[in-house]
Amino acid sequence: MCQNKEDSDVMSKMVEELDEVSGLQYKKFLAFPWILTVTWPMDTDSVEYPLTQAGPYGRWFHSEFCDFISVLVAQCQHSVIFDCYLMNAIISLLTELSNSFVRAFRHTCTLAAVKLLSSLASVALTLSVGIENSQKLFEVQKTKTLRQKSTLQQERIQKKITELQEKRTEIESMMDIIFKGVFLKRYRDVLPEIRSICLEELGLWIKLYSSAFLNDSYLKYMGWMLHDKVPDVRLKCVLGLQGLYGDPVLHPKLDLFTSRFKDRMISMTLDKDNEVAVQTMKLLLIISKTSDDVLSPEDYKQLLQFVYSSQRPLAVTAGELLYSRLLNTAAPASDTQDEINDDEAQKQHIFSTLKALLHFYKESQLHKHVVYLVDSLWDCGGALLKDWPALTSLLLQDPPSHSQGLTHEETAVLVEILVASVRQAAEGPVLAGRSGAKKVMSAREKKIQIDDCTKLTEHLIVVLPNLLSKFSDSPDVVASLMKIPQFFIPEGPEAGNTQAVSDLLAEIGAVLDRHSGPAVLEAAARTYLSLCGEETSCCSAAQTARDSLVQSWVDKLTALLQDALKADTFTADEGNTGDILLTLKKLRTFHNCHDLSRWNLFELLSPLLSVERSERRPPSEVLLEVLQCLCYSIIWSLNTSGESLSSREKAVAQRLQLRLFCERSHHYLSHSDHSVRQQAFVGVCDVLTAHSYQLQVWNPTSFGPLLYTSSPKLQRALLTFICQHAFVGVECDSQSSVSENSEVEKLEDLHRRRNLLAAYCKLIIHGVLEMSMAAEVYTYYMKYYNDFGDIIKETMYRTRQMDKIESSRTLVLCLQQLFVRLKREQESGGRAHPGVQTFTSIKELARRFALTFGDVVKFRECVVMIHRNGIEFVFQEFSQTPETPTPLYLYYLAILSEFSSKLLKPDKKTVFSYLQKHTAEHVIDLREECWQPLILYRASLLAAGEGEDAVSNVSSDRRPHMPNRSPFSKQKLEGSKSPGLFTPTNSKVSKVQRSNFSPSRLEKTTDADPFSVPVEPQAKRFNMGGSDVSTSSEVDDSTVEVEL
């Protein structure tokens, strides 16, 4: 009918005539059903259409589609869109299709409709500008004199104004129709992409044509959708609000919306989506800049804490908010500006700003990490933080006369800010625990970094000695200041300033003479390490100063030990013991960073370990430092053996030192002090690991170290130590000083135990210990999974890469050890041992082990070996007698069945044949309860489908209730007793073959269901701790179904 050119009245009635009563939004466009019959998709549920396609084609279509609508309206804005035909037809079509159940139609037409409304808003804005200009022209005409006035001109202008107003009214009517017909239905669409489109365009409408859309009737949709469950929809709302609040003209009209949704916007800074949280913080930053009274002090207190956020974009935005607040509150008063010069005013302004920053840091009381605060302020306040002359002058000079000075606490924080700014300028924004920073710097950023390093080196290498001299009485301050030379640029021109370097080294030496705290010593050792680098211009001076310090300490320690060690007895008094301990701490800290082998500290300190056997023993603190020093000495000797070993005699001497250290450390594994025991264990593990690595990189043509193998006694001692000190609870360790009420101390204790286990596992991974030594560690995999699961799993992965067969044997050994312990525990009937696990937990451990064999083809040989080993473990050396009708370890087959799902079909047949070979010579009646584990294991091997397993992979300590399958399924065995030592608690339905059933037995049970056999009674039950063992003579009525 639409194509009938002769009868034009039909087309006019269908398309052009409007229903004035109902309005355009209710007019039915009768022509578009024909279009739908042509373009209706074959699959209405398909999500494949151009708008959803990824890649350049999808983006191209979206851009071109939107541009088409904009260009269409722009080209037709003067005449065609007002002909009551084109826009009516398009709006009707888009309105109907946007309500379609077909996702492609609804999505595409909603996008077209909202883009059409945006284009119409642009036309309405143009008309409004034209009306405003015409009205101004009309007012000019009215002000003219009678001779200058032109009535015809006024009438023409008034007619134009009327015409433009009518067009604007018609455009606004179209926009209202689209808004009510499309937006009001689609802004709550089930598809989040459609909701995002609607909210994005709504923000554009309000900003573009605020005279019509900037009111609470439209703003409320933006506020409501801030609660949307999809992050992208919330993000579109926040971005739209940023454009509104950023316009000074529109901001005063948003007061009601702000008061209504301010709490929601503040809470969105904690959004789970990082981008939403960042953009919300930017929105609040814009609000705070445009109006001071919107956010309360409590709101600022909550928002400013985000400078310590783990997400750097969020922290940087919060830092910008903090910096703007600091500048507003720290601005100097205008009356003082007239009394002082510009330099003094600038100094006062910097002082007041830093004072406000220190006050904020003190008031937060949440974090003690200044580096994160500096990183958050770096992008916006970099000019202040990089003003190192101002910072150092503030520390060196007295504050302005009209300002209050800094306290000692504020001075320490300001020094930390100085050090953090130096680190930020030298290393960039990459911080541990904070993500979102750029990992690759551009050429411009690298140039800025080099310039900053040069500036800070030129200034601080001269000023730093004065700072160290002024704050020499504060250990925490000088410890922070001595970190600054670590960031000096090595090839800088000022780094070769001999006088400045000499003054700096002299002040560091003076600080070390006055303080011996761990922070001071570590900072000094690392600073000397940076200054002694071969690429630095002050290398020779720094090495000379370091050697002089170490030599003085060694001479002092030698004299003290000569007086303290007499006739293998430690005779030092309390004062000399303190001096010895102080010197040992300095040598130990420097030995950790520097090679002090030429002072032969091993020969100097090893006699202290021999005094342990006499009556007068050194204090535990001295022994702890001696063990650490000797460990560092051995590791440095092994590390430099390729250069230092030039003869076989030196290699033999090195091996003797290694053996002596291991023997002495073995003795101290049983020391009364917990810290000494731990250090002895860690020292042995580190030395043996370093020796193993040195053997791998050893050049056979040179005089390398001779092979050293730890004794079996030492290996057993290490295993015993790790089991006693790592796999214990905090409350079980009597030697630990960890308080149960302190979570921080509990975490520290867990960290200590994790380090111990990691050190032991490294010995296995590097081949120092046999792989079978890991079997005992694997037994704790389930019990301590939350604490050590990642370490044990990584050990399995690394050992499997070394030798997958031997690694699988270790898993088998672990399960067999646990099984044998459980058997012996039940036989003894005594008190449960803490190392004994229940049958269910052993079975669950086997299931976890089986899950580690992901690629069944890759680990095919390993799984077959596990089954063969398990069958041999059960049936080897078994001779059937009337007293022992079943093997002693028969129930191990139930544990072994957990690995059956990892067997390939051909391997299942092979393993089943191997099982038949071991069971052929024995009389086995599968109808008897004592052979129940064999039934389960056979069923797992004979599973029909690939990956099918009749044995459940989920274990439970309670037997699940099994419903009866037939009215004859319940029966009782008279006079039958299970010879098994224990029974698995999770017997399940299994399917076995008929071949081994006895005909006589079938004839005797004619009253019972021929397809069911009784489940073995629960002869014995044991809990997770293995504390109680109970017996029962009652027979379980449950049955399992057997396929004949």
Side-chain angles (χ1 to χ4, degrees), residues 73 134 331 415-416 481 533 579 583 627 679 767 891 950 981 993:
V73 175
S134 299
V415 170
E416 292 185 16
L481 289 174
D579 294 338
T583 309
L627 286 172
Q679 181 55 43
Y891 283 91
L981 295 173
Q993 292 185 346

Side-chain angles (χ1 to χ4, degrees), residues 551-599:
Q551 185 64 47
S552 63
W553 296 337
V554 172
D555 294 340
K556 181 179 179 181
L557 183 61
T558 303
L560 290 172
L561 291 181
Q562 286 177 356
D563 297 337
L565 294 177
K566 294 180 180 179
D568 294 336
T569 304
F570 188 78
T571 60
D573 56 8
E574 185 176 355
N576 291 336
T577 302
D579 294 338
I580 292 174
L581 181 60
L582 183 62
T583 309
L584 282 174
K585 286 182 179 179
K586 294 179 179 180
L587 289 173
R588 184 258 304 167
T589 306
F590 270 71
H591 209 347
N592 187 21
C593 300
H594 304 268
D595 183 13
L596 308 182
S597 300
R598 59 174 173 165
W599 283 277

Side-chain angles (χ1 to χ4, degrees), residues 2 34 498 566 611 705 755 817 901:
C2 290
W34 175 81
T498 307
K566 294 180 180 179
V611 185
N755 287 339
Q817 286 179 354
S901 60

Side-chain angles (χ1 to χ4, degrees), residues 9 33 50 83 113 224 273 336 347 420 458 630 751 815 1001 1006:
D9 295 337
D83 64 355
W224 290 347
D273 187 81
T336 60
K347 185 182 298 184
E458 292 176 354
L630 294 182
H751 181 66
L815 296 174
R1001 174 75 63 170
T1006 55

Side-chain angles (χ1 to χ4, degrees), residues 780-790 792-793 848:
Y780 299 97
Y781 180 63
M782 291 297 301
K783 187 175 181 181
Y784 294 91
Y785 182 79
N786 293 333
D787 296 338
F788 310 113
D790 55 339
I792 298 177
K793 188 181 295 184
R848 292 292 187 97

Side-chain angles (χ1 to χ4, degrees), residues 30-202:
L30 301 180
F32 83 86
W34 175 81
I35 300 176
L36 294 183
T37 59
V38 178
T39 61
W40 194 268
M42 299 299 296
D43 185 8
T44 57
D45 296 331
S46 176
V47 295
E48 293 294 333
Y49 51 95
L51 282 182
T52 60
Q53 289 185 4
Y57 175 75
R59 294 190 296 269
W60 172 85
F61 178 83
H62 183 277
S63 176
E64 295 296 326
F65 184 69
C66 297
D67 292 344
F68 165 74
I69 297 175
S70 301
V71 172
L72 174 65
V73 175
Q75 294 294 330
C76 305
Q77 62 178 329
H78 300 292
S79 58
V80 181
I81 61 175
F82 302 105
D83 64 355
C84 298
Y85 171 74
L86 176 65
M87 297 306 299
N88 296 342
I90 293 177
I91 294 174
S92 299
L93 176 64
L94 295 180
T95 302
E96 293 297 331
L97 287 182
S98 64
N99 294 327
S100 173
F101 288 100
V102 182
R103 175 177 175 177
F105 288 165
R106 192 171 71 254
H107 190 182
T108 306
C109 293
T110 301
L111 175 63
V114 295
K115 288 296 182 182
L116 179 62
L117 197 154
S118 300
S119 301
L120 292 176
S122 300
V123 175
L125 182 62
T126 303
L127 294 174
S128 299
V129 173
I131 293 173
E132 183 178 356
N133 294 334
S134 299
Q135 288 178 345
K136 291 180 180 179
L137 184 61
F138 184 78
E139 294 296 331
V140 171
Q141 289 292 332
K142 290 174 61 177
T143 58
K144 291 182 179 181
T145 60
L146 293 176
R147 297 182 58 182
Q148 295 176 340
K149 283 184 180 180
S150 174
T151 306
L152 183 61
Q153 184 71 16
Q154 290 183 357
E155 293 177 354
R156 188 181 302 110
I157 295 175
Q158 184 64 38
K159 182 179 180 181
K160 182 179 180 181
I161 293 175
T162 305
E163 181 181 355
L164 292 176
Q165 289 177 344
E166 291 177 355
K167 288 184 178 181
R168 186 177 64 178
T169 303
E170 187 173 354
I171 293 294
E172 290 178 351
S173 176
M174 295 179 187
M175 292 191 296
D176 185 64
I177 292 172
I178 296 176
F179 185 84
K180 293 180 179 179
V182 179
F183 180 87
L184 291 183
K185 297 178 181 179
R186 298 278 69 82
Y187 86 97
R188 296 177 300 175
D189 195 276
V190 68
L191 196 64
E193 289 83 355
I194 296 179
R195 301 201 300 271
S196 299
I197 292 172
C198 293
L199 271 300
E200 183 180 8
E201 294 301 319
L202 177 61

Side-chain angles (χ1 to χ4, degrees), residues 713-779:
K713 187 177 181 180
L714 175 60
Q715 295 182 11
R716 291 192 299 269
L718 293 176
L719 179 59
T720 304
F721 183 89
I722 197 64
C723 293
Q724 293 178 353
H725 292 77
F727 300 105
V728 291
V730 175
E731 66 280 358
C732 299
D733 191 358
S734 59
Q735 301 294 335
S736 177
S737 60
V738 178
S739 175
E740 296 181 7
N741 299 326
S742 176
E743 294 295 333
V744 176
E745 292 182 352
K746 287 182 180 180
L747 291 176
E748 291 178 354
D749 180 77
L750 176 60
H751 181 66
R752 174 187 61 82
R753 292 187 289 135
R754 284 175 59 88
N755 287 339
L756 294 178
L757 180 60
Y760 181 81
C761 291
K762 283 193 291 185
L763 296 179
I764 299 173
I765 294 174
H766 289 278
V768 178
L769 300 179
E770 294 183 359
M771 204 174 293
S772 59
M773 298 290 288
E776 187 66 27
V777 175
Y778 293 164
T779 59

Side-chain angles (χ1 to χ4, degrees), residues 677-695:
R677 296 199 307 268
Q678 177 183 345
Q679 181 55 43
F681 177 83
V682 174
V684 169
C685 293
D686 291 344
V687 166
L688 293 179
T689 303
H691 178 260
S692 174
Y693 175 77
Q694 198 252 352
L695 289 177

